Amino acid sequence: VQLQASGGGLVQPGGSLRLSCAASGRTDSSNVWGWFRQAPGNEREFVAGIRRGRGTTYNLDLVKGRFTISRDNAKEALYLQMNSLIPEDTAVYYCAAATGRLITSEMRRIGAYDYWGQGTQVTVSS
């Protein structure tokens, strides 16, 4: 499975961005998809995840209702709608896919994911 993230950029505080992740290859082998982010000097952290059955989970400490993860199965695409962005959201955002049928707590683990996109930079600054 190959993942290609896009949609990052420079946005002012309070603004919005929609990240996309296009999947190709053996996408039918994936059951869970997630978004992670990594800021300079920080570890990569979980942002949001979604199951093939559309169950979702979020890192509520980070997103506080501002982000929404979704997936278009027909287009094999994953999305992250980010609203009310703040400077602390500045990071490289990565999409990932897992073949395992993960429980909610497992969806937060970096090691649970088998495939990763290359990342897209999001910068929130005035």
Side-chain angles (χ1 to χ4, degrees), residues 12-91:
Q12 292 187 342
S16 298
L17 279 177
R18 188 194 194 205
L19 304 184
S20 299
C21 179
S24 60
R26 287 290 309 276
T27 57
D28 58 342
S29 66
S30 298
N31 294 293
V32 174
W33 297 267
W35 286 100
F36 291 75
R37 72 184 189 186
Q38 188 167 16
N42 290 355
E43 295 184 350
R44 192 170 299 189
E45 58 186 354
F46 172 76
V47 176
I50 185 168
R51 293 191 183 88
R52 180 174 290 278
R54 297 194 179 276
T56 59
T57 187
Y58 295 90
N59 185 335
L60 294 178
D61 290 338
L62 293 180
V63 306
K64 295 182 173 64
R66 300 178 296 126
F67 295 0
T68 303
I69 188 171
S70 62
R71 175 169 168 79
D72 186 327
N73 290 326
K75 295 182 178 179
E76 295 292 356
L78 179 71
Y79 304 101
L80 185 69
Q81 177 66 43
M82 305 188 294
N83 300 325
S84 302
L85 285 162
I86 59 177
E88 290 76 13
D89 294 320
T90 296

